[in-house]
Amino acid sequence: PQQQQLQHPLGPPPHHHHHHHQHPQQPQGGLFESAIFGEPGMHPAPLTAVRFDPYQELLWVGDRDGRVVSYQSPTMEKYTSWKAHSAPYAGSFRKSTKIPSPVLDLLLTDTRVVSLSSNEIVTRTRGGLKMSTTSPGLQGLTTMCGSHQHANPDRSDRHLFFGGRSELIKMLDLERNAVVQEIQLSEPIVRLVRGRHLCAGTAGGKLVLVDPRSNRIRQSFACHSESVTDVAVKGDKVVTCGTGTRMGHSIKDSMLKVYDTRIMRAPYTVSFHEGPELLRFHPTFTSTLLISSTEGNFQLRDVTSDMIDNSGHLSSPDGSSNLSVSSVDISSSGDMISFVDRAGYVHMFKLSESYQVNPYSHPTLPLEPIRRKPAVAMTEESPLTSATDPLLFPEDEQANLFSHWGTPSTVYMPHPPEPLPGWLFGSRIIQKDFMQVIQITPGEHVRNLSQHSLPEQLNGDINNIVSLLSSEGGVVESEAEVDVDAASNKLITNSVQPPPKIYRLRPIRHHAKLGVAGFDFSRYNRTRFSGFENTLTNSYMNPILQLLYFLPSVRKHALSTVYKEEFSVTSELGFLFHMMDLAGSGDSKGRHVEARNLLTTLKHIEHAHQAAVFEEESDEPQYSRLAEKFLTFILQQLRREGKEFTPLVLSPAKQVSKDENATKEKDEDSSTNDEDEGRDTEEGKKGDATKARGQQNLNTEELVDSIFRSVSSTKNTCLSCNTPTTLSHHHYHYTLAYPAKTQDVTSFATVLKNSVSSVKQTHAWCETCHSFQLSDQSKTIDTLPDTFVLHCSSAATSLSASSGRGADQVKDDFWELVGNKEDSLWGGKGVDGDSGDQGRESFKHWIPFNFEVSKKKGKINVQEFDGTRVGSVADSYQLVAVISEIKNHRAQSSHLVAQVRASTEDKQRQSLEGGKESAGWYLFNDFTVVPISKYESVHVNPRWKVPVMLVYTRTTPKLAVIEQSNSIGDLVFNLPNPLESKVPEPLQQRKKASYIPLSPSEFPGRGDLISIDAEFVRIASEEAIQTPGGRRMVVKPVQFLLARVSVVRSWKVGNLKEFDNELMEPFMDDYISTPESQIQDYLTRYSGLRPGDLDPLRSPHHVTTLKHTYLKLRRLVDRGCIFVGHGLVKDFRILNIVVPRSQVIDTVDLYYLEGQRKLSLRFLSALILGLGIQQDTHDSIEDARTALALYNTYQIYASKVPKMTTVVEAVYAVGRKINWNVDDLTPAIQRDFQAYLEEELLVAATPSKPPVSCQFSKDADAEVKQELKF
């Protein structure tokens, strides 16, 4: 039956009927063909493109005539329709023909609909209004894709890539309607898909992977002998289909190539004998691919196991078998599949009874039915009023025109409703610099900003709602969350409780002038351990870094290893752990660190990008899985560096005695693994031999293998030929295999046993049959690791056919079953800790503190226990760390925390002033560090706290943990510049020598003064928001990068007259090599740096690497030198180095009155030293010398004046009167100030003499005279 015609708000669509053929919902292997519909007619236009809307419940199609039509789900009624591309004319003026201009592809953003034809790209609003057309010089276009990895509804594509016969990939800026980048290929482009790489399928049969950051071709594969027809991307997998030749004829290649971008090869091939031409990955399954032919045959198949999940065939509504499928798409929810054919029909399939386009769609504007005008018969005698519009006039007034309305008739128009503030709907206005304003859409990775959203139908007093919101990021801090009752429009509450305060994500509030330095971190950490700041992107890594720090073997090896290569994770971990040691020792208790240099190094490592460990690049929205990826990458990178990198400095390690070696060998011989099983493998022998050598001879690769690696064997027995095949595998972590059925609680021991060993039937490659055959597969573990890393977030289970649940749902249901009902065991309100375990011995917990593993007759046995076991021959393990995900449903955010058991040597530093002695467990929530009960670590609440990672270590490790000496010695001052070899000889001769290196006889030691100053460049501007309370809140602070460091020799403290620049020669003046593309502003006025100064091939200065400079500064810190400077807090922060407070003298603090402003170096130099510095730009050598002179002057005054406050008050008095403007500091005021100080010194030297006021010259300012009278 014909459906009722609907009207779009922008106007009625073209008048034609909509055929909708409803089919019985009969299952076809799990698929339901729900409908076939299209536009009827004698010659309907063939459909050429189809796309599901990632934002709304809409389906978009394009046809051969250039028309774009959208249909609203689930009724599939027409929603909008417009002519996107007009058909050009060919031929002479008198005899011309239309050339079809089909819609080849569609791209949907939150505000735009972009359509592609062979010669233009047209951008329109969602209502059909044209925004731009890109056509000049474009011919032979074939494909386009967005600039983001996936169609993410929370991120708006501003750029898109497109290509065609021109062999160029071009990037189009939709805002400017201009091509901003071009990438040259060698062949015409058939298909573009954006994944972690920009994947291009060419007409020559190649797959080209392009790095979207550098626009360079990373890899090229020869996939098919003739042409690529389609490309699909999901995570690390790239699948292609294409055509080949046989006996001179073109045929469809029945083999699909499945490439893994991590190893850059095709480990799998999939066959589809019907001729594959269209590919789409299923959005909710990891490796399920939709394969379709143009004849209508399709399959849903797992490309890794080659298992067919579903298959089907399209049916024609007229009963004919001539189908020609032109395009296919899968909705983001995975519930719906849509095909379009060249007969003009849309074929809809659904995978479940309840289906939708998106899991969370934006509301679609409802359409009203068209109210048609009734036909009116008009004659010559008919009055004009008989033709009045019944839509404008009521029926009883149809005879009256507007001009006939009487005076009393009044039409009341209501006022439009006031728009609600944008922050209520999740949008946030962010200010950059002073004039630039951008809008960040909800869903971007901003960890320190809580997102808040209220329904659109809210109709109440907005002030009442704002009053319920705190000023901290718009988070509701009351005991219940705000909600709205749609029926009564009244505010109601939900009993959604947030996590305990110590578990919540705390943003660092930036002081208006002091920045992060104005934040009191000591409130959140009173322990001897260091926390991490969370202002940097990718701060989710903080718990993993804490975990590595508390593994003694990893920490000590990193502290004693430095590699020659510039970007080394091992070296940076050692630098970071050294900072954590200093931050938690001596007078630095409770300090925090920042992993800035480590994150910068990771950005330069290609393997880190391939592993997708960065928030801004990963398509993984969950921090839990990002953490698993990050730890896996770190371990692999450490192994890679141990194999490929060159140690820079090595210190002699303590030798292990013969008795210790004998004990170790005895422990190894008493392993519970059977001697005849697993130990006879070459890998097992190699691993045992490596452990027996002791840590002092291990490189990083061997260290990681000794701590984390386990060896397992998989035996596949082909059911066709009974041929057994045994494969050996290395594991550095195990993923928990949750049971599919969760009616009964499964013990931890059973889950762990099923995770490390299993018996099942699967398809495996048989060398005898030369094909994949159904085989019996048994997996068992041969050698156990020293450290068991168990991943809890990525469930190691497949889709259960009986339950119909995915792996994530099985995992969630399992934790719901075994989780604790208590909200938390936390009893403290502040950060003093709750480490008492009394009265909690009966606490039920699924995660055990200890377990042991034994192996007998090829079978693995796991047994849980508490405490210690005496006389047991099994390998016992103890829990040392738990990484958990904290979900704050009220703030709609999540983050990770670490709960770590400190080792015996770490407990010596865990003194807590005024608190109880801890049992060894600590909670690390970024910069919040508190001692906790051991039972708190195994507490699980599925509502807000779920484990992500469990780490167990052997009770008696086989790898001896030994002390190693510091690897950084005085030789770092003699290391050659690593960039010197890259600089041409003529340029080296032109470089200025601005410093004199230290000789061995003048190396500064403990207590020696050195003066330091650093200059920076800006790489990112500050981003801030306006909170509901009107307060400005910094979301992302301004980011600086170290550009220059100057260190000056100390000179003797003496008379002011001894001040001489020649006595303070610099021994370091390093410019840090930085690509100009990263620099947003050189800040020349404040840094003295100009473009080219940081380029080793252009700069006339001594340009080196950050690592080369950092090593020298680290050595100065380790030697106990005292650093003198002005504003060193910021300098050390950007340097990313921790210096004990006892080794820092900051002239900012010397000349400072409590509660007053900080004084600039230029002002102090002009007033106290009488030196004019920083006239045009800053110079770090000049600033370092000036700071040292100010300290010398301070020491002179302090030795002669009873109270140095008198001098400082005089300095502030002069500053206030000249309004802190150094240009207004006249010579007369300077002379009188010096005379006043000399008079004060005389008074202090002669106590019997009464105090007198300073005498001024005639031209001195009178107010200054009065202010200086004390």
Side-chain angles (χ1 to χ4, degrees), residues 221-474:
F221 305 97
C223 308
H224 307 278
S225 58
E226 190 172 69
S227 175
V228 174
T229 55
D230 204 356
V231 180
V233 178
K234 182 71 175 294
D236 301 315
K237 301 178 183 63
V238 182
V239 185
T240 66
C241 63
T243 58
T245 57
R246 180 181 298 174
M247 300 180 65
H249 298 283
S250 178
I251 62 170
K252 298 177 182 177
D253 194 344
S254 61
M255 301 300 293
L256 282 74
K257 302 295 182 66
V258 184
Y259 292 90
D260 192 327
T261 57
R262 295 170 297 183
I263 59 178
M264 290 300 174
R265 61 185 180 89
Y268 311 104
T269 57
V270 178
S271 62
F272 185 74
H273 299 291
E274 288 79 2
E277 285 206 19
L278 300 171
L279 306 175
R280 294 292 184 275
F281 265 108
H282 196 284
T284 59
F285 297 136
T286 306
S287 55
T288 301
L289 180 70
L290 172 64
I291 312 170
S292 176
S293 67
T294 55
E295 290 78 16
N297 299 305
F298 66 91
Q299 290 180 355
L300 282 170
R301 174 178 290 188
D302 192 312
V303 296
T304 57
S305 63
D306 203 24
M307 296 289 292
I308 300 176
D309 298 332
N310 286 291
S311 62
H313 181 78
L314 271 61
S315 58
S316 177
D318 56 5
S320 64
S321 60
N322 296 326
L323 272 178
S324 180
V325 178
S326 56
S327 184
V328 65
D329 197 24
I330 307 179
S331 64
S332 64
S333 64
D335 296 340
M336 306 172 69
I337 304 176
S338 178
F339 301 84
V340 294
D341 61 24
R342 301 191 184 280
Y345 288 98
V346 181
H347 303 256
M348 293 294 301
F349 285 81
K350 60 180 181 179
L351 276 72
S352 62
E353 288 289 350
S354 58
Y355 59 94
Q356 55 187 357
V357 176
N358 305 300
Y360 305 99
S361 292
H362 297 179
T364 304
L365 185 64
L367 303 180
E368 298 180 356
I370 298 177
R371 296 190 290 179
R372 302 190 179 280
K373 302 176 183 179
V376 178
M378 296 289 293
T379 62
E380 293 293 337
E381 291 78 14
S382 300
L384 293 177
T385 55
S386 60
T388 56
D389 194 340
L391 301 181
L392 300 178
F393 298 96
E395 295 182 359
D396 56 348
E397 297 182 3
Q398 286 191 14
N400 295 330
L401 293 175
F402 186 76
S403 58
H404 293 167
W405 282 13
T407 304
S409 300
T410 306
V411 178
Y412 293 94
M413 299 298 295
H415 291 286
E418 295 184 2
L420 295 177
W423 62 270
L424 286 176
F425 301 99
S427 63
R428 309 187 296 279
I429 304 300
I430 291 184
Q431 180 179 355
K432 298 181 64 176
D433 291 330
F434 299 98
M435 301 300 294
Q436 304 177 32
V437 177
I438 62 174
Q439 183 172 1
I440 301 296
T441 57
E444 288 200 342
H445 296 289
V446 183
R447 298 181 73 238
N448 300 322
L449 182 66
S450 302
Q451 303 169 8
H452 194 82
S453 177
L454 290 181
E456 291 189 13
Q457 58 265 39
L458 180 62
N459 185 17
D461 187 0
I462 197 65
N463 295 323
N464 293 335
I465 302 171
V466 175
S467 63
L468 294 176
L469 303 181
S470 73
S471 59
E472 185 174 340

Side-chain angles (χ1 to χ4, degrees), residues 580-800:
M580 296 173 70
D581 284 342
L582 291 181
S585 62
D587 58 354
S588 301
K589 184 185 74 172
R591 293 180 67 179
H592 57 282
V593 298
E594 192 178 37
R596 181 188 302 271
N597 288 351
L598 174 62
L599 294 176
T600 302
T601 298
L602 292 176
K603 291 286 187 178
H604 289 85
I605 298 177
E606 184 63 28
H607 295 286
H609 295 282
Q610 294 177 6
V613 300
F614 301 111
E615 295 181 45
E616 61 271 24
E617 297 178 6
S618 176
D619 57 343
E620 181 58 65
Q622 298 182 10
Y623 287 120
S624 56
R625 294 183 180 175
L626 281 174
E628 293 176 351
K629 291 181 180 180
F630 177 63
L631 180 59
T632 302
F633 159 75
I634 285 290
L635 298 182
Q636 294 301 325
Q637 183 65 22
L638 294 180
R639 296 185 70 254
R640 193 178 297 112
E641 293 179 2
K643 185 188 303 183
E644 301 173 359
F645 285 13
T646 304
L648 184 61
V649 178
L650 292 177
S651 298
K654 291 183 179 180
Q655 300 295 326
V656 179
S657 65
K658 294 181 179 179
D659 295 338
E660 291 174 340
N661 278 330
T663 303
K664 284 167 49 183
E665 292 175 1
K666 182 178 180 180
D667 290 339
E668 290 174 7
D669 293 338
S670 63
S671 173
T672 60
N673 296 331
D674 291 348
E675 294 181 0
D676 58 339
E677 298 184 25
R679 291 294 185 182
D680 55 346
T681 63
E682 291 297 322
E683 295 295 339
K685 294 178 181 178
K686 180 180 178 181
D688 292 343
T690 300
K691 293 179 182 179
R693 293 205 304 268
Q695 183 177 344
Q696 67 276 12
N697 295 326
L698 299 185
N699 61 25
T700 308
E701 179 190 14
E702 295 170 332
L703 177 84
V704 173
D705 289 347
S706 300
I707 299 175
F708 297 97
R709 187 181 68 176
S710 63
V711 181
S712 67
S713 59
T714 301
K715 183 178 181 181
N716 297 319
T717 304
C718 179
L719 297 182
S720 299
C721 62
N722 290 328
T723 301
T725 303
T726 303
L727 301 175
S728 180
H729 305 279
H730 295 171
H731 299 274
Y732 295 88
H733 71 269
Y734 285 93
T735 302
L736 292 185
Y738 299 106
K741 296 181 180 180
T742 55
Q743 286 80 6
D744 299 325
V745 175
T746 305
S747 66
F748 173 87
T750 303
V751 173
L752 179 59
K753 176 183 177 182
N754 295 336
S755 303
V756 300
S757 63
S758 61
V759 177
K760 61 181 179 180
Q761 284 191 350
T762 184
H763 282 78
W765 180 262
C766 178
E767 291 291 345
T768 304
C769 302
H770 296 286
S771 62
F772 284 94
Q773 297 290 339
L774 188 64
S775 306
D776 285 333
Q777 184 181 91
S778 61
K779 177 183 176 183
T780 185
I781 187 169
D782 297 328
T783 60
L784 298 173
D786 267 5
T787 301
F788 252 117
V789 179
L790 304 178
H791 289 182
C792 308
S793 180
S794 300
T797 182
S798 60
L799 186 66
S800 175

